[in-house]
Amino acid sequence: MKHIVKILALVVAITVLWIGLLQTSVIPDSYTWLLPIYFVVSLGCYGLLMVGVGLMNFPTCPQEALLLQKDIVEAKEYLKQKGVNLPLN
């Protein structure tokens, strides 16, 4: 939810900046149509950066891995009791 608020605040800020630049003619008219393209590219770069940071900080959970393996063994035993043939792994 925090990322949505950040992105919406960024969209509003860029929109206000763009409209302000269009109104005051600080940037020549030939360049103002590029601003939304720069915004979309910048937003994509921000998204890729957040995915990269999330992957770098991805936690490892050895206890959860052991619990998952235990659940898999229990599920295989349950299915075997019900008559389902499973490949040996």
Side-chain angles (χ1 to χ4, degrees):
M1 185 67 176
K2 291 188 294 184
H3 291 294
I4 293 173
V5 173
K6 283 184 195 177
I7 291 172
L8 287 177
L10 185 63
V11 167
V12 169
I14 295 295
T15 303
V16 167
L17 179 67
W18 184 40
I19 291 172
L21 289 173
L22 287 175
Q23 297 283 330
T24 60
S25 298
V26 173
I27 295 179
D29 290 337
S30 60
Y31 294 126
T32 55
W33 66 273
L34 290 173
L35 291 176
I37 296 171
Y38 291 150
F39 171 69
V40 169
V41 169
S42 298
L43 195 59
C45 291
Y46 173 76
L48 286 174
L49 177 69
M50 289 296 106
V51 168
V53 168
L55 287 174
M56 286 190 296
N57 295 331
F58 191 77
T60 57
C61 306
Q63 294 91 4
E64 295 298 322
L66 292 175
L67 288 175
L68 181 61
Q69 291 296 326
K70 181 181 171 186
D71 288 343
I72 290 172
V73 169
E74 288 176 8
K76 284 185 178 181
E77 289 174 3
Y78 174 78
L79 290 173
K80 195 178 289 185
Q81 289 175 357
K82 295 295 180 180
V84 177
N85 294 328
L86 295 173
L88 296 175
N89 286 342

